[in-house]
Amino acid sequence: MSDAPQANEATRLEPRLRAMCDLRIADVREAAGRHEYDGVVQDLSPSGVLAGLATLAATERDAGPGGAPSAGDVLDERLVSLGAAGLRAVFGTLQDHRRNPVHHLGNLDLASYDKDYAPPAERAEARRRHLAAWPDAVDAAVTALDAVPAPTARALLPALRGLSADVEDEAALAAADRLVAHVSEAADGGEPDASYGADGLQLLLGVSEGSEVDLGRLAEQADAERDRLRELLAEACAQLDASTPPEQLVARLLRDHPDTPEEIYAEARGLIVEATAFTLEHDLLGDPGGTCLVGPAPPSRRWAMAMMSWAAAYEPDGPSWYHVTPPDPAWPAEDQEEWLAVFSRTTLPAITVHEVTPGHYAHGRALRRTASDARRLVLSTAFIEGWAHYAEELFVEQGFRAGDPRYAIGVAVEALIRVTRLAVSLGVHTGAMTVEDGARRFEADAFLRGSAARAEAERATFDPTYGRYTMGKLAILAARDRARQRWGSSFTLR
């Protein structure tokens, strides 16, 4: 493994936070901008993970009760406690580094050095050190990954192969090939059941959020939200074309999309300007500032159709990237068409509101303005994704493109994908659904087809908590209702 970073005034952290960062190096390097970890790979071998958990436990004992990282700040202390509990659940209770290659994929990923946070030569040197550590990291991965379910392995093989794009270091390439071969064996002969089980899913969904999760109640909420969204969709479709059933109308609308990656990027850039202007005009947020560029996702991240890579809190300001994943040109024409439908002129506006402003990009800008280490480093996935998802429908409420029902249709279609993620995650990980069942559910409830539906269902195998989009949105809406009641006339959406 690469050497751990040396603490100095610029990189100093409270011991518990440092121990937590050491257990999630790839995340904090990119999402938080902790570049003391540049060129460093995490020891994800069984012994390395055990050592990391032991260090975390020691720092918690030393902190004692009420040992807040920010002079007694109750929220900061709560965040640190929940973050530590989440790490113990993932790496200790569930030993997820043994069954889920996604941890090792992130550990090897070089895409964080593509961001313009430092001079090119400095980033190139960090990338070189990182590549030099690949053989040891792959040794650790091969040792650790002894319980990979076959569906999980199959879902992540394309991303693992994408790690080697633009890599020329022969030792690193040989290591990457060994990891692909190891995971390929699991794809062929691994356990066919990718389920974490009801207890495992409940733990993953609740522990790091500090909430009690009732999976049965959650399934009921998912069905109720699906039904509400279908009503919203039917109303918007009737405004556009009352003579055509929603299923047929949505299918027609999804075929209206940019035809090339360059056209997708150009339309997304225009939507960023439009969504930001609407946010400011309606005083939903202050001006996020900064620069958001649009372009293709790195090959290792093309399991997701769209994502935000923001200028992180601890790094010098620079451009953030709204990554959009075009279809593989080697795919059959029908598969490419199904994938491009995701970026239709009906759905791309909602995706852009989610990924950029007031969604993830604006969130990343806000993180840069807080001085709290805990709040910069310990993030709630349910809040991150729930906030961006909430923003989509907030725009409907506030009249974005009010004369064009296609925006509300797109919001409903995107929300149906998110609530179907929750339903499929609950199904797959309680044993009620197979991945194939999940793909059919995405086709039936979320207007996805073929490869797009299959990719969404497969994501449940390595991202079991991807139902948090809907969970977070519902929690934020409930909090908004409480705020309206308590604040009365002083309430504002901002």
Side-chain angles (χ1 to χ4, degrees):
M1 298 298 110
S2 304
D3 293 335
Q6 298 299 309
N8 55 46
E9 287 304 319
T11 64
R12 196 173 303 282
L13 287 173
E14 188 264 344
R16 285 178 299 171
L17 283 172
R18 175 59 71 192
M20 290 165 65
C21 287
D22 288 348
L23 280 165
R24 41 187 292 263
I25 285 175
D27 289 342
V28 298
R29 178 172 50 236
E30 180 165 1
R34 297 298 304 199
H35 290 296
E36 67 266 34
Y37 289 106
D38 278 9
V40 177
V41 298
Q42 184 174 336
D43 185 353
L44 284 170
S45 67
S47 60
V49 169
L50 284 174
L53 290 171
T55 299
L56 176 60
T59 64
E60 291 183 296
R61 288 194 299 271
D62 291 344
S70 300
D73 187 298
V74 175
L75 177 57
D76 281 12
E77 176 61 24
R78 181 71 168 146
L79 285 171
V80 173
S81 296
L82 291 174
L87 289 167
R88 287 194 295 272
V90 169
F91 290 120
T93 305
L94 297 176
Q95 297 186 56
D96 204 43
H97 53 297
R98 294 179 55 196
R99 61 162 288 154
N100 195 343
V102 78
H103 301 286
H104 305 275
L105 174 67
N107 198 30
L108 295 169
D109 195 0
L110 302 166
S112 63
Y113 305 116
D114 293 338
K115 287 202 306 180
D116 191 18
Y117 63 86
E122 182 179 325
R123 290 183 283 121
E125 171 57 20
R127 185 178 186 275
R128 185 200 63 75
R129 296 197 310 273
H130 199 133
L131 276 172
W134 270 22
D136 286 343
V138 168
D139 286 344
V142 170
T143 301
L145 289 170
D146 58 1
V148 184
T152 308
R154 288 194 294 267
L156 284 171
L157 272 173
L160 289 167
R161 293 187 179 109
L163 282 169
S164 299
D166 301 323
V167 171
E168 298 179 355
D169 183 294
E170 292 185 3
L173 287 171
D177 288 344
R178 283 193 292 114
L179 180 57
V180 167
H182 182 74
V183 176
S184 294
E185 290 180 6
D188 293 334
E191 169 65 44
D193 181 8
S195 170
Y196 280 78
D199 290 344
L201 182 61
Q202 195 168 30
L203 183 66
L204 286 169
L205 288 173
V207 65
S208 62
E209 305 292 347
S211 59
E212 296 292 331
V213 174
D214 180 331
L215 298 185
R217 172 62 179 149
L218 200 54
E220 292 174 359
Q221 288 180 304
D223 286 346
E225 178 65 359
R226 176 199 59 196
D227 295 344
R228 185 189 74 85
L229 291 167
R230 283 197 167 273
E231 290 180 8
L232 175 68
L233 177 66
E235 292 171 4
C237 285
Q239 292 175 29
L240 186 65
D241 181 354
S243 66
T244 303
E247 289 75 11
Q248 295 178 24
L249 180 58
V250 168
R252 188 179 79 203
L253 291 172
L254 295 183
R255 288 194 294 271
D256 176 23
H257 54 69
D259 292 321
T260 68
E262 289 71 24
E263 290 173 352
I264 296 173
Y265 309 148
E267 293 199 19
R269 292 184 193 105
L271 287 164
I272 290 173
V273 173
E274 183 182 5
T276 303
F278 185 87
T279 298
L280 300 182
E281 288 166 8
H282 288 73
D283 196 31
L284 301 177
L285 289 176
D287 188 348
T291 300
C292 183
L293 304 177
V294 182
S300 60
R301 298 188 180 176
R302 292 185 181 170
W303 51 267
M305 295 172 181
M307 64 174 64
M308 173 56 54
S309 178
W310 59 41
Y314 288 99
E315 64 193 19
D317 202 359
S320 298
W321 278 93
Y322 172 21
H323 288 309
V324 178
T325 301
D328 188 329
W331 289 353
E334 183 179 355
D335 287 351
Q336 292 192 51
E337 175 63 26
E338 289 166 347
W339 194 272
L340 283 169
V342 173
F343 306 114
S344 73
R345 294 183 173 92
T346 297
T347 51
L348 187 58
I351 293 172
T352 303
V353 167
H354 179 106
E355 295 294 340
V356 188
T357 300
H360 294 322
Y361 173 74
H363 186 178
R365 302 302 296 174
L367 285 171
R368 295 182 60 84
R369 295 193 292 272
T370 179
S372 161
D373 287 327
R375 296 181 207 191
R376 286 179 162 192
L377 291 168
V378 188
L379 305 180
S380 158
T381 305
F383 179 74
I384 291 172
E385 297 299 351
W387 171 261
H389 192 21
Y390 159 74
E392 300 166 37
E393 195 166 339
L394 177 65
F395 264 39
V396 176
E397 295 173 6
Q398 294 298 296
F400 182 68
R401 293 189 170 185
D404 183 356
R406 287 182 302 172
Y407 179 72
I409 293 170
V411 167
V413 169
E414 286 298 301
L416 283 166
I417 292 172
R418 274 54 175 272
V419 78
T420 305
R421 287 174 179 169
L422 178 57
V424 169
S425 175
L426 291 167
V428 167
H429 295 295
T430 59
M433 284 185 197
T434 64
V435 171
E436 291 71 23
D437 293 333
R440 287 190 287 271
R441 181 73 176 255
F442 276 106
E443 291 186 341
D445 285 356
F447 302 98
L448 296 181
R449 296 290 179 267
S451 59
R454 177 78 191 189
E456 281 287 356
E458 287 179 338
R459 181 172 167 183
T461 67
F462 61 86
D463 187 8
T465 64
Y466 74 158
R468 282 173 166 165
Y469 292 77
T470 297
M471 292 176 63
K473 179 187 73 173
L474 295 177
I476 289 168
L477 287 170
R480 188 176 74 172
D481 288 344
R482 293 195 299 273
R484 285 186 194 276
Q485 293 171 359
R486 294 182 187 178
W487 300 348
S489 60
S490 65
F491 173 87
T492 70
L493 287 168
R494 181 168 178 171

